[in-house]
Amino acid sequence: MNDLILAQKSAFESDLSKVTSITELEALKVAYLGKKGTITGLLKNMGSLSNEEKKDYGRDVNELKNLAQDAIAEKLTALKEQEMMAEINAVPTFDMDIPANTQGGSYHPITLVQRKCEEIFRSMGFNIEDYSEIVTDYECFESLNIPKFHPARDMQDTYYLDNGQLLKTQTSAAQNAIYKKYKDALINEGKPIKAIFPGRCFRNEATDACHENTFFQMEGVMVDKDISIANLIYSMKTMLAEVFDNYDLKVRLRPGFFPFVEPGFELDISCQICGGVGCPSCKHSGWLELCPCGMIHPNVLSEGGIDPEKYTGFAFGLGLTRLAMMKYGVKDIRDLNGGSLNSLAQFSDDE
Ligand code: FA5
């Protein structure tokens, strides 16, 4: 090995033996193997060598480079293990003088409205179902009459996972599984399908006073012979009147497009923050979109194994997070996900 290379080798070995932390190791790596590192710099001397010398010199520099890389990797493993052991063996120190936190916990406002809605729908004979937050494209879109490349997919900006699955954008993603679960009882025993399924949804959306990228919805479906829009309106009105303890709550129904219902509606309630005069929480419209709904599309029923010639049904997708805002007068949706215990402790389930 050339003298220059040998000198670098022993300098490297000596410096490496003095390294005691990962930060020092990183600095050493840059000093020897970085773009301007001394081992990298050895290759710059090649110009002054004969062709024969170049061959040996190049091979030796590469050998030193590999040796340095292996030694650094080995040292890194050893240092990580050492740091982990130090952490494990560290004796925790307790300050016995810190006063204990005696403040009791409280339920989150979203949990409170969810429980309230569950209680209301349970009393109307609905089952409560739980569903995964990671779902397939079939569950979230295709089974809901939204084929691949359908423009309606742009209505919801979806987080896809590397394995092709996705984070549920809507609780409607559980509809198909619910129909398949209960269709035999419907067809063979004449038991209507009545189910609600609350859950967390995710959309890649910019946040503002009434939008978050993570929020809760509660889906509801009812399927039987002769279910009509009247059943839908009755269920929605009952639920809202009970949640707000107000049978005069102003509600409006507008036409709305969702590929899985026909006809489809947007159900808005008058903003409970400003009393309907307009504020940032309702984007100054006086109304808040709360619960889109409609009559289940025949294609969706068929996909769930239910004959749309014999059965009809309604579905709704209640925005639970927005319902919590309206119920508890929370002006900005982001305060609900903020996790401030002081602010959350104001809400109680004393009803
Ligand atoms: C849907 O998600 C449909 N799956 C609802 C549906 C179900 C329609 C069954 C018909 C039949 P939409 O994207 O509008 O629709 O969301 C429904 C509700 O969820 C909204 O009205 C709103 O209350 C709430 N919501 C939607 N996006 C957000 C968001 N980014 N932040 C907070 N709440 C949201």
Side-chain angles (χ1 to χ4, degrees), residues 66-83:
N66 291 340
L67 179 141
Q69 278 168 342
D70 291 349
I72 288 172
E74 204 176 303
K75 185 89 178 185
L76 182 65
T77 312
L79 285 172
K80 278 187 179 163
E81 205 165 300
Q82 208 172 301
E83 285 189 5

Side-chain angles (χ1 to χ4, degrees), residues 62-136:
N62 275 332
E63 205 173 285
L64 175 60
K65 208 169 146 190
N66 291 340
L67 179 141
Q69 278 168 342
D70 291 349
I72 288 172
E74 204 176 303
K75 185 89 178 185
L76 182 65
T77 312
L79 285 172
K80 278 187 179 163
E81 205 165 300
Q82 208 172 301
E83 285 189 5
M84 193 177 73
M85 288 315 289
E87 227 171 87
I88 292 171
N89 294 329
V91 182
T93 47
F94 297 108
D95 182 349
M96 303 300 280
D97 295 330
I98 292 177
N101 182 358
T102 51
Q103 190 191 354
S106 57
Y107 285 113
H108 194 282
I110 298 173
T111 308
L112 294 175
V113 283
Q114 179 179 325
R115 289 188 173 189
K116 181 76 187 164
C117 291
E118 288 177 358
E119 187 188 306
I120 297 164
F121 280 102
R122 201 184 284 118
S123 77
M124 293 195 275
F126 282 70
N127 291 324
I128 299 163
E129 298 283 339
D130 195 15
Y131 209 70
S132 168
E133 287 177 353
I134 295 176
V135 295
T136 59

Side-chain angles (χ1 to χ4, degrees), residues 156 169-170 172 175 203 205 210-213 215 217 219 258 260-261 266 289-294 315-319 321-322 333:
Q156 300 171 359
T169 57
Q170 49 182 350
S172 306
Q175 277 196 27
R203 291 184 198 175
E205 284 185 0
C210 56
H211 288 89
E212 264 283 29
N213 52 25
F215 56 96
Q217 286 186 346
E219 192 89 354
F258 300 91
F260 32 95
V261 284
E266 287 284 359
E289 275 180 22
L290 187 68
C291 185
C293 50
F316 62 87
L318 173 67
T321 306
R322 286 205 192 150
I333 196 166

Side-chain angles (χ1 to χ4, degrees), residues 50-67:
S50 71
N51 278 352
E52 197 47 40
E53 285 169 326
K54 267 184 193 162
K55 228 166 90 188
D56 289 346
Y57 185 86
R59 187 200 56 226
D60 290 348
V61 172
N62 275 332
E63 205 173 285
L64 175 60
K65 208 169 146 190
N66 291 340
L67 179 141

Side-chain angles (χ1 to χ4, degrees), residues 185-187 189-194 221-228 231 295-296 301 306-308 310-314:
L186 171 74
I187 298 164
E189 298 163 42
K191 281 191 185 159
I193 300 178
K194 292 163 100 178
V221 293
M222 183 169 178
V223 183
D224 198 1
K225 288 187 171 143
D226 302 325
I227 296 292
S228 71
N231 298 96
M295 299 306 291
I296 303 166
L301 286 176
I306 297 168
D307 183 353
K310 293 191 183 146
Y311 299 95
T312 50
F314 69 74

